[in-house]
Amino acid sequence: MSHKSFYLAMFLVLACCFLLPQQASEYPDIILRGALVVDGTGLPGVQRDVALRGDRILTIGVGLKAGPNTEVIDVSGLILAPGFIDLHTHSDEDIILAKTRANLNYLTQGVTTIVTGNCGFGPVDVKEYYGKINKYKAGSNVCHLMPHNALRREVMGNVNRAPTAAEQRRMNELMELGMQQGAWGLSTGLFYVPGSYAALEELTELANIASRYRGIYASHIRDEGEGLFPAVEEALTIGQICKIPVHISHLKSSGRAYWGNAGSLLSRLKQVRQQGQPVTADQYPYSASSTSLQATVIPPKYREGTQQEMVARFHDPLVGQAMREAVRQRIRECKDGSDIRIARYAPKPAWQGKDLATIARQEGRDPLSIVLEIETRGGAQIIHFSMSDEDMRLISREEFVATASDGGAKIPDDSMPHPRNYGTFARKIGRFAIEEKRFSLEQAVRSATGLPADILQLKERGYLKPDYYADLVLFDPDEFRDRSTFDAPHTYSTGVVYLFVNGKKVIDKSKFTGTLAGVALKRQ
């Protein structure tokens, strides 16, 4: 073949390549056309198209080309952001139960990834837990932390003493195994038992293991009221000793006597951050917390052992009088029980939604006797109106504080839970940023996307970038609001028009599609 014939043949081959129809696989599956893209970095939003293929973002641009089978969705007027990441949930059990695994109260807030194992509670067997999530599927992705309280209880029970050398070794082995199986760090709940019985040496042993696997140390610190500052220093010390990033859960100054401490608290955390120590926090944008009645009014030293053993101490001739007086004092500090509202108490649903002072008055009894009855019959979940609105607002503006709910997957029932379960992200972004303009939309979105991804070191999520996973939320800025209140808590947030989890549409035109697209995310 002559040179002339060869070049002619090559020209014809190349021409055919360009003239042949583009393969369908090269086109996007979906193009989201014309949204205001807020990408998780904190930079101003820009109007763009976003193309998806499979479970990934294909490209971001203007006037992106659709193929013959591409679904093109006009999303002009909507805000497109990375799916929100909730660093602090208690959905450990709920996310694998059939009735709640869809996690709809979070999907309707735009949440595509949740973190479990918080406050030191949750499954210790990470492999088994992740296996259940992947087998049955979930509405959102799940990252899990190794829970210190559960780990300690499994090895030692609920005892107020230091571990033996053998018990510490066993806890270390379980911790190591959990990190090898994909946990994202160590979580402690030192406000709760048996975690409150742990000393620094026990905690650093476990945190050192998490550090070796490049995990984080997330802590519900030992005290959020009178002992707030020493408790913060304990967490910082663990971070320094173990060379591990410290994350303080639901940052607050709790208790009426300690209102106004948020400024000093933030100043201390900023100081250590400026010195180079990696420290972050999260917050739910409400001035009430929620936990058990027991943890709120009964000091830890009386909560050793079983529930029955704890209740028996109220009548013990040696410690009963001191225990009752300690509980009375805590009730007095909670505005004589007015600050404590019953959220869930199955034996007497009529008490749900009422505070201790009101119940005691209606029953013609002392609030202490109400507490004793509740604990004798298994305990109750409560809402504690313990924070000042000013402190909460101050903390919410900090650039190192992520948005997180401290709630769990729920469906409407007769209980009266904290509205944070249904409204945290819509409240922070829709109400505080868009409606009230307390801070920018971009900052609020970052607190729920890029920042929590950075804290976890969660790869390829939390930002809008080509080749990142297509966890996306599109919401109407005029409608994205929390509707849940303390008096009507089981009310879904509004305004999420589309939600994608791993490229699958789970909310379509504001309706849940029924698709369970979430998976367990292992730390590599």
Side-chain angles (χ1 to χ4, degrees):
M1 179 186 291
S2 67
H3 287 298
K4 185 175 181 180
S5 300
F6 173 79
Y7 287 123
L8 177 60
M10 290 298 295
F11 173 79
L12 290 172
V13 169
L14 291 171
C16 287
C17 289
F18 283 108
L19 292 173
L20 285 172
Q22 193 171 354
Q23 295 296 312
S25 62
E26 297 177 6
Y27 287 113
D29 296 327
I30 297 171
I31 292 179
L32 305 168
R33 185 84 77 193
L36 179 69
V37 172
V38 180
D39 65 5
T41 63
L43 295 174
V46 292
Q47 193 168 26
R48 292 288 186 270
D49 302 340
V50 176
L52 314 181
R53 185 193 293 157
D55 61 358
R56 302 275 181 157
I57 298 170
L58 180 62
T59 189
I60 301 171
V62 177
L64 298 182
K65 185 177 179 182
N69 298 317
T70 301
E71 180 184 5
V72 179
I73 306 175
D74 181 3
V75 291
S76 54
L78 302 182
I79 294 167
L80 195 165
F84 304 144
I85 300 167
D86 192 336
L87 285 173
H88 193 106
T89 79
H90 291 280
S91 294
D92 306 81
E93 181 180 355
D94 298 326
I95 203 66
I96 57 177
L97 295 178
K99 65 180 182 179
T100 46
R101 67 170 60 112
N103 212 14
L104 189 57
N105 56 312
Y106 282 88
L107 298 182
T108 51
Q109 297 180 62
V111 174
T112 55
T113 299
I114 64 170
V115 179
T116 56
N118 280 290
C119 295
F121 295 109
V124 172
D125 190 331
V126 178
K127 181 179 179 181
E128 180 184 54
Y129 181 55
Y130 280 172
K132 289 179 180 178
I133 293 167
N134 289 332
K135 178 179 179 180
Y136 299 115
K137 305 302 178 186
S140 57
N141 302 312
V142 182
C143 300
H144 189 60
L145 297 166
M146 279 297 289
H148 170 247
N149 279 315
L151 191 157
R152 192 182 211 267
R153 189 182 290 270
E154 180 168 320
V155 174
M156 301 173 58
N158 182 25
V159 293
N160 186 0
R161 62 170 175 79
T164 65
E167 288 168 340
Q168 184 70 64
R169 282 196 301 273
R170 181 55 182 155
M171 283 195 283
N172 292 353
E173 289 169 358
L174 290 172
M175 182 71 204
E176 182 116 27
L177 182 60
M179 294 303 296
Q180 290 171 351
Q181 292 174 346
W184 293 79
L186 171 66
S187 161
T188 61
L190 305 180
F191 176 73
Y192 300 105
V193 297
S196 62
Y197 305 139
L200 185 66
E201 183 179 0
E202 175 184 333
L203 300 172
T204 54
E205 287 255 357
L206 299 171
N208 267 322
I209 297 169
S211 179
R212 290 205 305 270
Y213 288 87
R214 302 174 71 96
I216 67 170
Y217 174 72
S219 184
H220 179 155
I221 55 178
R222 203 173 289 271
D223 193 341
E224 297 172 326
E226 181 180 11
L228 171 63
F229 290 94
V232 168
E233 293 305 320
E234 179 182 41
L236 297 177
T237 298
I238 291 169
Q240 292 159 1
I241 291 173
C242 302
K243 296 180 173 56
I244 188 170
V246 171
H247 182 77
I248 299 176
S249 300
H250 38 63
L251 191 66
K252 66 173 78 74
S253 181
S254 181
R256 291 176 179 272
Y258 314 108
W259 288 3
N261 280 335
S264 299
L265 173 62
L266 292 171
S267 293
R268 175 58 179 149
L269 296 180
K270 288 177 188 177
Q271 179 186 43
V272 296
R273 284 171 55 83
Q274 289 167 358
Q275 292 168 350
Q277 183 174 0
V279 180
T280 54
D282 61 57
Q283 182 210 38
Y284 46 85
Y286 299 86
S287 54
S289 61
S290 183
T291 187
S292 68
L293 177 64
Q294 176 188 129
T296 304
V297 300
I298 304 177
K301 65 181 180 179
Y302 299 118
R303 303 204 306 266
E304 186 177 5
T306 66
Q307 179 84 3
Q308 293 76 15
E309 288 170 336
M310 182 200 70
V311 169
R313 289 191 188 99
F314 276 106
H315 310 289
D316 185 279
L318 296 177
V319 301
Q321 183 175 348
M323 183 179 179
R324 289 193 297 274
E325 183 51 42
V327 173
R328 281 197 187 95
Q329 179 57 34
R330 292 206 172 180
I331 292 172
R332 283 193 289 268
E333 292 169 357
C334 296
K335 207 176 174 182
D336 294 324
S338 296
D339 285 343
I340 298 175
R341 181 184 292 194
I342 304 300
R344 186 178 68 248
Y345 180 55
K348 288 190 177 179
W351 286 4
Q352 295 173 162
K354 296 178 181 178
D355 62 73
L356 274 183
T358 297
I359 294 169
R361 187 168 57 252
Q362 290 176 347
E363 297 282 328
R365 295 161 58 187
D366 184 305
L368 175 63
S369 73
I370 302 297
V371 170
L372 183 54
E373 176 180 337
I374 289 173
E375 292 305 322
T376 300
R377 301 181 71 179
Q381 194 76 10
I382 59 104
I383 294 170
H384 186 193
F385 293 88
S386 60
M387 294 167 273
S388 76
D389 194 62
E390 291 76 12
D391 281 351
M392 182 271 289
R393 290 169 185 258
L394 189 63
I395 292 170
S396 73
R397 294 199 294 266
E398 280 303 323
E399 56 89 19
F400 62 86
V401 177
T403 302
S405 70
D406 198 10
K410 296 190 181 301
I411 56 173
D413 58 22
D414 67 351
S415 66
M416 297 290 285
H418 198 298
R420 68 192 184 187
N421 294 282
Y422 288 83
T424 292
F425 292 84
R427 184 174 180 82
K428 176 71 175 281
I429 296 167
R431 192 170 300 279
F432 285 9
I434 296 174
E435 182 178 319
E436 299 179 6
K437 295 181 171 50
R438 299 188 188 186
F439 29 71
S440 71
L441 166 67
E442 289 82 2
Q443 180 187 343
V445 167
R446 173 161 173 73
S447 77
T449 57
L451 177 59
D454 292 347
I455 290 168
L456 279 177
Q457 301 176 60
L458 179 60
K459 305 298 183 184
E460 299 178 339
R461 299 181 198 267
Y463 294 94
L464 294 180
K465 295 181 180 181
D467 297 325
Y468 272 48
Y469 285 96
D471 291 345
L472 310 172
V473 57
L474 294 102
F475 59 89
D476 182 337
D478 296 326
E479 297 295 327
F480 189 43
R481 299 291 185 275
D482 59 310
R483 308 298 178 185
S484 177
T485 67
F486 289 101
D487 295 323
H490 291 289
T491 309
Y492 294 101
S493 293
T494 59
V496 171
V497 183
Y498 296 98
L499 189 72
F500 294 84
V501 178
N502 295 312
K504 294 183 174 63
K505 204 183 296 179
V506 298
I507 291 182
D508 184 4
K509 297 177 182 176
S510 304
K511 302 293 184 184
F512 177 47
T513 64
T515 299
L516 301 180
V519 297
L521 302 179
K522 295 182 180 180
R523 181 172 181 81
Q524 300 301 317

